[in-house]
């Protein structure tokens, strides 16, 4: 089965490819010729995930899913949340985003936070949403060279390391996106059993 993953984020694509069973042929946006930036104009992760998936359905009429992810910090009332990509400005600069977040957290003692992923699947005329959450803490400084986005300053509960210090295999086994993808897979397996 061919399934489009509606993302331009190559790090996300690599993570998700590692989680796909062999019978699902994951196709990227560039592989279907979609090079344009899909505007994320929603006010929630759910809305944005659906906007991205619907864009592919409407313009390419292919089975697809999209994910929208946010980092929600409790002491900042859930910021940066749905605005995680643009936290430090429209340039969507990862380093600037981390610098801003560490600066906002300088004198904060409650450093608890969670990543949340919403996946929207458009298949056979139906939309299904899947959620994945991982709880953890914002570290006081960057650590690690792997991963992407806020990974160098997020340490999942139960680990000393940040996501950027853990292997991709470990990150995928506990992460927001890994959990949401597992739910997506369970759903797809149920469909193919019918
Ligand atoms: P697409 O919309 O093309 O999928 P994006 O990078 O814009 O790619 P999101 O809107 O879902 O993706 O991500 C919002 C921000 O959260 C962005 O700055 C990412 O770098 C960050 N982010 C997403 N997943 C992450 C992860 O697993 N670890 C660390 N940061 C992540």
């Amino acid at each position: 089965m061919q399934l489009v993953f509606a993302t331009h984020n190559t790090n996300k694509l690599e993570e998700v490819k590692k989680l796909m069973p062999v019978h699902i042929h994951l196709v990227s946006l560039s592989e279907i010729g979609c090079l344009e930036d899909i505007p994320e104009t929603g006010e929630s992760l759910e809305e944005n995930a659906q906007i991205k998936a619907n864009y592919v359905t409407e313009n390419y009429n292919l089975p697809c899913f999209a994910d929208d992810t946010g980092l929600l910090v409790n002491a900042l009332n859930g910021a940066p949340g749905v605005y995680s990509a643009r936290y430090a400005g429209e340039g969507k600069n990862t380093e600037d985003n981390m610098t801003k977040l560490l600066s906002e957290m300088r004198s904060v003692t409650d450093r608890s936070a969670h990543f949340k992923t919403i996946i929207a699947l458009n298949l056979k005329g139906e939309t299904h949403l899947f959620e994945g959450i991982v709880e953890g803490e914002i570290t006081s400084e960057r650590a690690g060279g792997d991963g992407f986005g806020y990974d160098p300053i997020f340490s999942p509960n139960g680990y000393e390391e940040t996501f950027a210090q853990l292997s991709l295999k470990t990150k995928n086994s506990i992460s927001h996106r890994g959990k949401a993808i597992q739910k997506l897979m369970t759903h797809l397996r149920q469909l193919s059993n019918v």
Side-chain angles (χ1 to χ4, degrees), residues 5-13 15 29 37-38 40 45 48 52 66-71 80-87 92-94 97 115-118 134 147-152 154 163 171-172 175-178:
F5 181 18
T7 182
H8 284 301
N9 184 321
T10 50
N11 293 294
K12 278 187 186 178
L13 190 65
E15 279 190 12
L29 283 180
D37 199 18
I38 305 171
E40 294 181 42
L45 299 174
N48 280 338
K52 289 187 263 189
D67 101 58
D68 200 42
T69 294
L71 175 61
V82 71
Y83 305 108
S84 292
R86 297 171 177 78
Y87 190 44
K92 294 196 195 174
N93 184 292
T94 294
N97 287 339
F115 273 113
K116 180 170 166 182
T117 288
I118 300 291
V134 61
F148 68 99
Y150 295 90
D151 280 348
F154 181 86
F163 264 157
K171 181 185 174 189
N172 267 344
S175 78
H176 44 302
R177 186 167 303 100

Side-chain angles (χ1 to χ4, degrees), residues 150-187:
Y150 295 90
D151 280 348
I153 60 169
F154 181 86
S155 176
N157 285 352
Y159 292 80
E160 295 293 320
E161 300 92 339
T162 67
F163 264 157
Q165 292 173 301
L166 295 172
S167 67
L168 179 52
K169 195 168 177 221
T170 304
K171 181 185 174 189
N172 267 344
S173 70
I174 57 172
S175 78
H176 44 302
R177 186 167 303 100
K179 288 176 183 167
I181 290 284
Q182 290 311 333
K183 290 181 187 172
L184 167 70
M185 288 307 140
T186 303
H187 177 81

Side-chain angles (χ1 to χ4, degrees), residues 82-150:
V82 71
Y83 305 108
S84 292
R86 297 171 177 78
Y87 190 44
E90 285 303 316
K92 294 196 195 174
N93 184 292
T94 294
E95 286 303 318
D96 293 350
N97 287 339
M98 284 193 287
T99 300
K100 177 172 177 185
L101 185 54
L102 288 178
S103 157
E104 299 281 339
M105 299 289 288
R106 206 177 301 130
S107 53
V108 173
T109 47
D110 174 11
R111 305 191 70 86
S112 61
H114 62 273
F115 273 113
K116 180 170 166 182
T117 288
I118 300 291
I119 287 177
L121 169 74
N122 281 352
L123 188 62
K124 297 181 180 167
E126 289 184 6
T127 299
H128 291 271
L129 298 181
F130 308 94
E131 180 187 280
I133 288 177
V134 61
E135 302 279 352
E137 288 200 337
I138 305 300
T139 54
S140 55
E141 55 188 39
R142 293 167 172 80
D146 288 340
F148 68 99
Y150 295 90

